[in-house]
Amino acid sequence: DAEITQSPRHKITETGRQVTLACHQTWNHNNMFWYRQDLGHGLRLIHYSYGVHDTNKGEVSDGYSVSRSNTEDLPLTLESAASSQTSVYFCASSNGGEPQHFGDGTRLSIL
Amino acid sequence: QKEVEQDPGPLSVPEGAIVSLNCTYSNSAFQYFMWYRQYSRKGPELLMYTYSSGNKEDGRFTAQVDKSSKYISLFIRDSQPSDSATYLCAMRFNTDKLIFGTGTRLQVFP
C-alpha cells in the first residue's frame, strides 16, 4: 500500500543545531507539504512543493528550508534550531485537486 | 480574526449520542471543505470531502456545508468510544493549500 513515512518519529536537539526531518511518499504524488502543529494554532503550513525542483513558502516559513530533488522526498531543514520551533511536524502529499494524505508526524524538542 | 474558527472543546458525550462539530470561516472564496480525524500521536486522516453547499453522508458521518452562512458541520450518529479523537476542519480555494481549524477534541465514554 502507498504511504508517507516520516523520520525520525522523535528527536531532541539543542538550540543552534541544524536539524533535518525526512518525508518519503510512495503515492507518486506531485504535491508535498510540511506543517507544524501547536496547541491553539492547529496545523500551519511551513513550505510546499508542486513538483521536482519547485518549492514555495507557507505561512510560517522563517527558519525553515526545503528542497525537492525527486518525486518521493521533501526533507525539511531547520537551519539553526530555536526553542520556538519545538513542535510536532507533519508531512502530507496529494495530486492536484485531491485531498492530502498525512504521515504520522515527527515530535521535535529543542532544548 | 482567524480565517477558520473551530471550538477546541473538549466535547464529552455518552456512547450512542449524536455529535455535532462545527467550523465557521470568513472568506467566501473557499470552495472545498474537508473533515479530518486525528488520533493521539497519529497524523490526520481524511473523513469527508465536499465541494458544494448541502449534505454528504458516509455511514455514520454526515458533512454539511452552508456557504451562505460560511458554516460547516460534521455530524456523527451512534457515536462510539472509537470515535474519540480530535476532529479538524479544513478548507481551500481553487489551489491545493489547506487552511485548518484548530481542531475539536471529542471523547465518547461507554
Side-chain angles (χ1 to χ4, degrees), chain B:
Chain B
Q1 182 188 4
K2 292 181 180 179
E3 280 192 287
V4 180
E5 298 277 359
Q6 185 174 10
D7 188 329
L11 183 61
S12 185
V13 301
E15 183 175 355
I18 296 175
V19 175
S20 172
L21 304 167
N22 310 296
C23 287
T24 58
Y25 60 95
S26 57
N27 195 327
S28 59
F30 283 125
Q31 296 185 14
Y32 299 87
F33 305 89
M34 284 136 275
W35 286 96
Y36 283 84
R37 178 176 61 197
Q38 186 177 20
Y39 291 114
S40 180
R41 298 183 180 270
K42 301 288 282 185
E45 58 176 325
L46 182 70
L47 271 181
M48 301 291 280
Y49 180 57
T50 57
Y51 169 66
S52 57
S53 284
N55 292 355
K56 181 177 181 179
E57 189 173 315
D58 184 1
R60 297 184 295 110
F61 299 90
T62 299
Q64 189 175 79
V65 175
D66 182 349
K67 286 188 174 180
S68 62
S69 301
K70 300 193 193 72
Y71 190 88
I72 68 171
S73 299
L74 178 71
F75 298 96
I76 307 174
R77 290 182 298 281
D78 187 25
S79 56
Q80 302 295 311
S82 59
D83 295 327
S84 298
T86 297
Y87 290 79
L88 303 162
C89 65
M91 48 199 76
R92 65 178 179 87
F93 309 109
N94 194 21
T95 68
D96 289 291
K97 292 194 297 179
L98 293 179
I99 309 296
F100 282 87
T102 52
T104 299
R105 190 156 62 91
L106 171 66
Q107 183 173 6
V108 181
F109 56 88

Side-chain angles (χ1 to χ4, degrees), chain A:
Chain A
D1 283 350
E3 61 181 2
I4 297 182
T5 305
Q6 292 187 236
S7 61
R9 292 297 312 277
H10 305 270
K11 185 168 182 67
I12 301 174
T13 191
E14 297 175 344
T15 55
R17 290 191 180 267
Q18 184 181 78
V19 178
T20 297
L21 309 183
C23 175
H24 179 81
Q25 53 101 0
T26 58
W27 290 95
N28 198 33
H29 285 160
N30 291 323
N31 305 332
M32 295 185 73
F33 307 84
W34 273 105
Y35 296 89
R36 60 178 289 175
Q37 187 174 36
D38 305 286
L39 202 61
H41 290 280
L43 283 156
R44 292 181 291 174
L45 184 63
I46 304 171
H47 280 287
Y48 59 102
S49 168
Y50 287 149
V52 177
H53 302 310
D54 176 75
T55 62
N56 305 279
K57 294 181 179 181
E59 177 189 356
V60 290
S61 61
D62 286 349
Y64 303 94
S65 64
V66 294
S67 64
R68 186 98 178 264
S69 59
N70 58 50
T71 300
E72 297 80 19
D73 300 288
L74 187 70
L76 177 71
T77 298
L78 286 68
E79 304 293 345
S80 176
S83 57
S84 61
Q85 295 176 308
T86 292
S87 186
V88 182
Y89 291 86
F90 288 98
C91 179
S93 71
S94 71
N95 271 338
E98 296 177 359
Q100 294 178 19
H101 298 261
F102 284 80
D104 280 336
T106 294
R107 289 184 171 269
L108 178 63
S109 296
I110 301 166
L111 306 178

